[in-house]
Amino acid sequence: MDRPILAVRELLDEPRLPASVATTTGRGNPALAMMWFVAEEGRFWFHTPVSDGPPSPFLAAARDNREVAVMVATFDPPDDVRQVRTSGPARLEAKDLARIRRIYERYIPGWSADWAKHAASPDSRLWSMSPDRGMAVAYPGLENRPVFRWTSPAEAPFSS
C-alpha cells in the first residue's frame, strides 16, 4: 500500500490523545506507560520525571539508545478505531523548554507559572524516539482495511 488509509498527522496532532509507550527494564521485564507526547521533526518527544532510585525504564532505554514501542490510538467502536504503532531507538535530548511546553500544552487547559516551573525542573528529562518501523490502520465500522507499513524513518507518514 502506498499511503496510509488514515490521516496519520492529524491523529498524532489530536489534543489530549496520549501515547502508550513500552520498553523493557534492565532485567528484561516489560514496562508500559501512558505518556504525554508531541510528534515533531519525525520523532516522538516525551518529558519524563527522574526518580530518586533507579531511572525509569524509559529514561534508561533512552540513555542506552534502546528500542521502545509507541502506539497512539483511538478506540470508540464501531466508527472510530485508528492506530499508529511504531518502534525504534530512543535517546536522551538536551532540555528544550519550547518543545516541553508544546508537549504540555496538548494536555493542559492553560500555561501557568507552575507549569513553566515544572517544565524547567531538573527533576525531568526530555527524550525522543525515532519511529524506524511502524504501521497505521483504521477500522471504520470495524471493517478490515489495508494496513500501511514502513521500515525506515524516511517512509514514515509523518516524517516531514
Side-chain angles (χ1 to χ4, degrees):
M1 172 171 209
D2 294 333
R3 298 179 331 166
I5 190 138
L6 69 111
V8 172
R9 179 80 257 162
E10 286 79 6
L11 175 65
L12 297 178
D13 287 343
E14 284 186 26
R16 295 182 304 281
L17 193 60
S20 297
V21 184
T23 192
T24 55
T25 67
R27 293 186 173 159
N29 296 318
L32 177 66
M34 298 292 285
M35 295 187 182
W36 293 359
F37 76 98
V38 66
E40 298 177 338
E41 298 176 15
R43 302 184 72 80
F44 287 91
W45 298 81
F46 305 94
H47 193 232
T48 298
V50 176
S51 66
D52 290 335
S56 85
F58 306 99
L59 291 177
R63 178 195 64 216
D64 298 337
N65 295 104
R66 286 189 285 123
E67 296 277 314
V68 298
V70 173
M71 181 174 74
V72 178
T74 62
F75 189 75
D76 189 14
D79 298 320
D80 186 14
V81 180
R82 298 172 286 156
Q83 298 177 348
V84 173
R85 300 183 217 164
T86 66
S87 61
R91 70 182 185 207
L92 292 175
E93 302 284 355
K95 187 167 288 282
D96 179 341
L97 293 177
R99 190 178 315 270
I100 294 167
R101 181 175 177 160
R102 288 193 298 276
I103 293 170
Y104 285 95
E105 284 180 332
R106 288 173 37 88
Y107 300 92
I108 61 173
W111 193 248
S112 67
D114 287 341
W115 281 109
K117 181 178 175 185
H118 177 76
S121 169
D123 296 333
S124 294
R125 288 295 312 264
L126 183 66
W127 62 281
S128 70
M129 176 269 211
S130 174
D132 288 1
R133 297 160 304 285
M135 64 168 289
V137 66
Y139 301 102
L142 299 180
E143 299 171 15
N144 282 332
R145 295 293 177 106
V147 175
F148 175 77
R149 297 180 190 279
W150 67 92
T151 57
S152 76
E155 297 171 345
F158 54 93
S159 60
S160 57

